[in-house]
Amino acid sequence: MVYIKDDIESLDKKLGREVRVCGWVLRQRIVGKIIFWRIVDSTGETQVIFKRGEIPDDLFEKAKKVTLMSAVEIRGIVRPAKTKGGKEIVPKEVTIIPTDPILPIDPLNRTSTLSQRLNYRSIDLRDPKISSIFHIRSLIAQAFREYLLSQGFVEIHTPAISIYSAEGGADVFEVKYFDKTAYLRQSPQLYKQLAVSGLERVFEIGPAFRAEKHWTIRHLCEFTSMDIEVAWINDIQPLLELAEETIKYIFEKLRSEGKKYFDILEKEPPSMPTTPFPVMTWKEAIAIIKDRGIPMEGKDIPPAGERVLYEYVKKRYDSEFLWIVDWPFEVRPFYAMKYPNSETTQSMDLLYRGLEILTGGKREHRYEILKKQMLQKKLRPDFFGYYLEAFKYGFPPHGGWAIGLDRLTMQVLQLDNIREVVLFPRDPGRLEP
Ligand code: ATP
C-alpha cells in the first residue's frame, strides 16, 4: 500500500514496481482507446491510464463505467509519464466501490455552497485544498502542545459537564444530568484554575460551548479552546511573553512542516512576527475607534473597531498583532483581577489581522475579594461550592489565557468564515452532521 504523495516523492524507488494505491476518482477522460483517471487520496493526486491492448479488455470496460468520486483500489505498475507528478499507473487489477451517479456536491467545490459542502463533508474532504486546511489546523494544535510541554507545562483534561456555569450569563447550554441540571462548559476556566493550584503550569486543548444565537463568521456554538494557566505570576507581562513565544513556535512549524499544505492552497504561510507585539490599553484603543467614528455598544470592542485597530497597527508598527490590555471589569468575568482600588482589570486580548484570537489575564486568588466580585456580577457564591472554597487554602497568584484554535486557523489561512476550518461546525442552525 502506498499513498500518492509517497509515490510522487519517491518516484525512482517505485518506478516499474507494483504498487497498491487507494483513493477516489476525481476525473475521467476518454480519448479514443485510452481512459485516464485522475485519482486523489489524502496526500495528493495521480493518474491511472487504461489503454486498450495494454490491459485486459474487461478492465477497460470496467474503467469506462466508473462514476466520479467512486472509491477505488488499484494494483498496478508505476511508470514515467508527462503528467504533473511525472508518472502514471498502469493497472493490473481494479476494485471499485461505486457512488450514486448523481453527487450531492461538486467534487471540486467550484459550484457548491459552504452549507452544501458541510452537509457532505466526507466528500468535501477529498479535495486536497480542503484536507490541507485540516492538516494545518492539526499542525497548529501540535505546535501549541509541543511548545508548552517544552516549557514544563502539564497537559490536563478537565470536565466538559459541570454544575458550575463558569462565565455566568445566559450563553450556557443546560444538560440533564440524571436528576440534576448541569451545564456544558463555556471554557475550562474554573478547572484549569483549580489544577494550577497544584500543578503550577497547565494547558488544555478542548471543546468550549456557547449558547449564543450568533450568526457571524467568527462565532460557533462549539469551538476548540487552547488554554494555559500559570501560577506565581505578579502581573500580566509573563502571560504576554508566553503567548508571543507560543505563537512564534506555531508559525515556525507552519512555515516548515506546513509549507506543502500552504502550497496546495496557493497561499503564503504566515510571516514570522516581530516581538514584543505592540501593546495599547483599552482606553487608548477606544479613543482610536471613536476618533474613526465607529459606534460603540457598551464597552466591548465591536468587529468594525477591531478592523480599524488593525489598520492602525499595520501602518504604525507594521504588525499584524496587537495587544489590548487593562479592560474594564464590566466586560470581564468575575474572576478577573482588578488593579488596586480600581475597576480596571489586569487583562488582555490579542488581535491578529483584525480579529480577537486570544483572551486572558491575571485572576483574583483572594477568597474574600473573589466572593465580592461574584456578588458584583450578580452571581451567587453558594453556587460555586468547592471551586470557591479552594481559594481558602493557600491559592497561588495566577493567570492564563485561551486561544481559539478555530479563529487562529481561520486567520492564518485568511479564510472568510470560521466554518471552513471546523470539520462539523455547530451554530444555532446546524446540529447535523
Ligand atoms: P467575542 O468577543 O469575539 O465574542 P469572547 O470575548 O466571548 O469573544 P472569550 O470568552 O474571551 O471570547 O474566549 C476566548 C477565545 O475563544 C476568544 O479569543 C476566541 O478566540 C475564542 N472564542 C470565543 N467565543 C467563540 C465562539 N463563539 N466561537 C469561536 N471562537 C470563540
Side-chain angles (χ1 to χ4, degrees), residues 167 186 210 212 214 218-225 300-301 306 332 349-350 355-360 402-408 418:
E167 323 282 324
Q186 290 156 299
R210 305 280 166 100
E212 297 167 320
H214 277 316
R218 55 200 261 157
H219 289 101
L220 292 171
C221 295
E222 177 175 355
F223 64 94
T224 302
S225 189
D300 238 338
I301 295 179
E306 291 182 349
R332 300 309 265 205
D349 274 13
L350 180 63
L355 177 72
E356 177 203 320
I357 57 154
L358 173 153
T359 304
I403 298 177
L405 172 59
D406 323 271
R407 285 208 191 159
L408 178 57
I418 197 166

Side-chain angles (χ1 to χ4, degrees), residues 66-101:
V66 82
T67 44
L68 291 191
M69 279 296 148
S70 292
V72 290
E73 177 187 335
I74 294 148
R75 281 177 201 277
I77 304 290
V78 187
R79 72 176 177 202
K82 285 193 190 121
T83 61
K84 217 164 139 199
K87 52 110 191 63
E88 64 191 6
I89 300 168
V90 183
K92 281 183 159 177
E93 217 182 300
V94 172
T95 309
I96 301 177
I97 303 169
T99 54
D100 277 358

